Amino acid sequence: MSPEAISPDRTKVGWIGTGVMGKPMCGHILRAGYRVIVHNRTKAKAEELIARGAKWAGSPREVAEEADVIFTMVGYPEDVREVYLGPNGILAGAKEGSIMIDMSTSQPSLAAEIYSKARAIGAHALDAPVSGGDIGAKEATLSIMIGGDRDIAERVKPLFQLMGKSIRYMGPAGSGQSTKLCNQILIASTMIGVVECLLYAHKSGLDLMDVIAAVGSGAAGCWSINNLGPRIVRRDFDPGFMVEHFVKDMGIALEEARRMNLALPGLAMAHQFYVALKAKGKGRLGTQALALVLEELNNARIEGGPNR
Amino acid sequence: MSPEAISPDRTKVGWIGTGVMGKPMCGHILRAGYRVIVHNRTKAKAEELIARGAKWAGSPREVAEEADVIFTMVGYPEDVREVYLGPNGILAGAKEGSIMIDMSTSQPSLAAEIYSKARAIGAHALDAPVSGGDIGAKEATLSIMIGGDRDIAERVKPLFQLMGKSIRYMGPAGSGQSTKLCNQILIASTMIGVVECLLYAHKSGLDLMDVIAAVGSGAAGCWSINNLGPRIVRRDFDPGFMVEHFVKDMGIALEEARRMNLALPGLAMAHQFYVALKAKGKGRLGTQALALVLEELNNARIEGGPNR
């Protein structure tokens, strides 16, 4: 791709990974009029995008052979590695000057490795994980945290703007992933606080919605108590963000932290409770299902009614 | 006191405890035109209020002998016990129909005991701890969480409105204290998340203020990262809320939780780190000084500059 401005008539976009996040994100790019080439491990999940005009490609390599900008949104770091560095991966097919952007939550070190290997063939790579969940993906209100070269991040901004409302350049390759992990580290201990607060409130005979209102608006307030707290009280454990993905993210953060000689006891404890939750077969519930582990630990059940 | 409406010409207000919180709170009541009788362990800390027209009394008992509504804002549960139940305490002097209101953070069980003993002499008691710190006390923007009889809470509302902006009735005696402890339980683990997030960000070479902006506005967002995060980055450890008071509050919550057969591992861990911080002689710093403990644990120092 010549360093021209990105536009629907000049830029061919590749998209790999059309799951619960990737499909709506790719949909926004299609809707804006771009020619899109898609690939997904399970083709059925791409059919809707194909019906809307996306062209199917049989492998990440084939996507890369045609596209100027290639997005990836897959599950685990192993998948990212396979999709970029495998025998039929993006690097095997990428054109000189092309830009590859991994929006999965993955390892900062892997992002740096992909960046270097892209540079070696005259291409560019960004890591650009997101927060905001499936609703953010559908409503194009994601927060996007970008690592890589600043000028490349600038160049593809028109595409990011189709998917997110907060688009932030964080630093060199891996910095997007590192920022996303900071986000998950903060949420991990916060969720422990949310569930312990509600357990204590229940045991004290308080009205749980009154407690959420009282603590949620002051110095203890957080998104989680105000948004996930009421779901716990209603025993609505449907996923906004799934336990198994959170377990993955915390695992990456702990592994990277160990590599940096950094002890994070709060994160480690939260991780253990979420691993236990997954072990109970609850991996596909939302992260607020942490309540189930601490309830079982305490032989208690968080319920809304006050004792008064 | 007859159950007439509270007003400056009919109601004499007693105030016990004129420290960093109590002094400005009592000042708001004086300013509204009420006659106020004050007592404090150290008389010097009451001199400013006395100069503004408050009348000095030599003991809590003497305050209670004169006042219709008696507020207390003291340090520890032992102080609350002494001020209410000691030989020169409020209960020894309280008039029939008087209303005594403890705004200290203390034990729910002690609040229930005071409530019963007040009823036995034909008086009323409320527990009404606050959040919002010294700034909230000065600016009359405290959140007030009330336990006791609803009609009594309603009757003294005009006085609460002089001190706070959010005034919430939470249930029977002790419910105000229980709600305040829920608040502290939630903050405890959140603070672990905040410090671990910033440590990880620093080790990853990210710009810390960029990270706070990125994570603070989404699903990981909380009051603590947005307000105390920047202070940690600036290494401003001055107290909004003091470590030693937080250690006290968490200790009460853990003791009450044990009494209720409730295990709160996140709270227990946060408590240990704060006890360690206090042991280092940092008890009079603000709660954001938790950073110092986790920095020492990791032989690291959270600093703002990015490595890019």
Side-chain angles (χ1 to χ4, degrees):
Chain A
M1 191 178 98
S2 62
E4 284 170 342
I6 298 279
S7 75
D9 53 322
R10 276 193 297 260
T11 313
K12 267 198 205 170
V13 174
W15 195 284
I16 295 157
T18 55
V20 68
M21 296 291 292
K23 191 167 79 172
M25 291 162 76
C26 177
H28 298 308
I29 290 176
L30 262 179
R31 185 173 308 116
Y34 286 89
R35 287 164 294 167
V36 175
I37 305 118
V38 290
H39 175 76
N40 194 55
R41 201 161 41 189
T42 312
K43 189 179 177 187
K45 291 186 186 171
E47 291 294 359
E48 192 184 314
L49 293 164
I50 294 167
R52 290 173 56 192
K55 180 181 163 189
W56 174 256
S59 70
R61 178 181 186 149
E62 287 172 41
V63 171
E65 282 166 354
E66 277 204 58
D68 304 303
V69 179
I70 305 128
F71 289 95
T72 54
M73 189 61 167
V74 298
Y76 293 83
E78 308 85 87
D79 303 320
V80 174
R81 180 171 290 280
E82 178 69 18
V83 159
Y84 278 89
L85 308 177
N88 284 305
I90 294 169
L91 266 296
K95 299 191 287 184
E96 202 180 325
S98 66
I99 302 174
M100 46 201 84
I101 305 170
D102 184 27
M103 303 191 80
S104 327
T105 295
S106 171
Q107 295 153 335
S109 51
L110 177 55
E113 183 182 344
I114 291 168
Y115 173 87
S116 299
K117 289 183 172 160
R119 294 301 297 130
I121 61 164
H124 309 279
L126 299 173
D127 50 300
V130 303
S131 74
D134 55 338
I135 294 172
K138 278 183 195 122
E139 298 179 351
T141 56
L142 293 168
S143 287
I144 304 174
M145 297 156 261
I146 308 167
D149 292 342
R150 192 191 282 270
D151 58 331
I152 300 298
E154 240 356 274
R155 209 191 300 167
V156 293
K157 204 169 177 183
L159 291 167
F160 286 138
Q161 284 168 331
L162 298 172
M163 299 182 261
K165 68 172 169 39
S166 157
I167 295 147
R168 226 173 271 272
Y169 176 76
M170 298 304 301
S175 298
Q177 296 298 350
S178 296
T179 304
K180 176 66 187 286
L181 295 175
C182 288
N183 192 76
Q184 305 305 66
I185 290 167
L186 177 52
I187 292 184
S189 286
T190 302
M191 284 305 301
I192 301 273
V194 165
V195 171
E196 291 190 357
C197 167
L198 292 177
L199 257 177
Y200 188 95
H202 162 66
K203 279 280 201 174
S204 303
L206 297 169
D207 182 289
L208 298 177
M209 293 304 291
D210 283 356
V211 169
I212 291 170
V215 306
S217 56
C222 59
W223 188 96
S224 296
I225 190 78
N226 291 316
N227 290 276
L228 301 182
R231 292 191 210 174
I232 292 171
V233 174
R234 293 195 304 268
R235 306 199 75 75
D236 166 7
F237 297 124
D238 285 349
F241 183 58
M242 267 186 210
V243 167
E244 62 185 28
H245 294 147
F246 195 34
V247 168
K248 172 200 78 165
D249 294 357
M250 287 188 285
I252 295 172
L254 282 166
E255 191 184 305
E256 294 280 324
R258 185 195 48 71
R259 200 183 50 75
M260 299 191 290
N261 268 326
L262 183 62
L264 299 176
L267 177 63
M269 189 172 70
H271 184 242
Q272 290 299 299
F273 283 128
Y274 275 101
V275 167
L277 185 57
K278 195 178 162 201
K280 287 176 212 300
K282 312 288 188 189
R284 301 186 75 80
L285 296 183
T287 52
Q288 71 274 25
L290 176 65
L292 300 174
V293 176
L294 288 166
E295 284 182 340
E296 189 175 311
L297 180 69
N298 280 294
N299 195 30
R301 186 180 155 94
I302 296 169
E303 281 170 309
N307 297 347
R308 63 171 187 260
Chain B
M1 190 180 99
S2 61
E4 285 169 343
I6 299 278
S7 75
D9 53 323
R10 277 193 296 260
T11 313
K12 265 198 203 169
V13 174
W15 195 284
I16 295 156
T18 55
V20 68
M21 296 291 290
K23 192 166 81 173
M25 290 162 76
C26 177
H28 297 309
I29 290 176
L30 262 180
R31 184 174 309 117
Y34 286 89
R35 287 163 295 166
V36 176
I37 306 117
V38 290
H39 175 75
N40 193 58
R41 202 159 43 188
T42 312
K43 190 179 175 184
K45 291 186 185 170
E47 292 294 0
E48 192 183 315
L49 293 165
I50 294 166
R52 289 173 57 192
K55 181 181 161 187
W56 173 255
S59 69
R61 178 181 186 148
E62 287 172 42
V63 171
E65 283 166 352
E66 277 203 60
D68 305 303
V69 179
I70 305 126
F71 288 95
T72 54
M73 189 61 168
V74 299
Y76 293 84
E78 309 85 87
D79 304 319
V80 174
R81 182 171 286 281
E82 179 71 18
V83 159
Y84 279 88
L85 307 177
N88 285 304
I90 293 169
L91 267 294
K95 299 190 287 184
E96 202 180 324
S98 66
I99 300 173
M100 46 201 83
I101 305 169
D102 185 26
M103 303 191 79
S104 326
T105 296
S106 172
Q107 295 152 334
S109 50
L110 178 55
E113 182 182 346
I114 291 168
Y115 173 88
S116 299
K117 290 184 170 159
R119 293 303 295 132
I121 61 164
H124 308 280
L126 298 173
D127 49 299
V130 303
S131 76
D134 55 338
I135 293 171
K138 279 183 194 121
E139 298 180 352
T141 56
L142 293 168
S143 289
I144 306 175
M145 298 155 259
I146 308 168
D149 294 341
R150 192 191 283 269
D151 59 329
I152 300 298
E154 236 1 89
R155 209 192 298 168
V156 294
K157 204 169 176 184
L159 292 167
F160 286 138
Q161 284 168 330
L162 297 172
M163 299 182 260
K165 69 170 167 41
S166 156
I167 297 147
R168 226 174 271 271
Y169 176 75
M170 299 302 302
S175 298
Q177 295 299 350
S178 295
T179 305
K180 176 66 188 283
L181 295 176
C182 287
N183 193 76
Q184 305 305 66
I185 290 166
L186 177 52
I187 292 183
S189 287
T190 302
M191 284 304 302
I192 301 275
V194 165
V195 171
E196 289 190 358
C197 167
L198 292 177
L199 258 176
Y200 187 95
H202 161 66
K203 279 279 199 174
S204 302
L206 297 169
D207 181 291
L208 297 176
M209 293 305 291
D210 283 354
V211 169
I212 291 170
V215 307
S217 55
C222 59
W223 188 95
S224 296
I225 190 77
N226 291 316
N227 289 276
L228 301 181
R231 291 192 210 173
I232 293 171
V233 174
R234 292 195 305 268
R235 305 199 76 75
D236 166 8
F237 297 123
D238 285 350
F241 183 58
M242 267 186 209
V243 167
E244 62 185 28
H245 294 147
F246 195 35
V247 168
K248 172 200 77 161
D249 294 357
M250 287 188 284
I252 295 172
L254 283 167
E255 192 184 304
E256 295 278 325
R258 185 194 48 71
R259 199 182 51 72
M260 299 191 289
N261 270 324
L262 183 63
L264 299 176
L267 176 64
M269 189 172 71
H271 184 242
Q272 291 300 299
F273 283 127
Y274 275 102
V275 167
L277 185 57
K278 196 179 162 197
K280 287 177 212 296
K282 311 289 187 188
R284 301 186 73 80
L285 297 183
T287 51
Q288 71 274 24
L290 176 64
L292 300 173
V293 177
L294 288 166
E295 284 180 341
E296 190 174 310
L297 179 70
N298 280 294
N299 196 29
R301 187 182 155 93
I302 297 169
E303 280 170 313
N307 296 347
R308 64 173 186 254

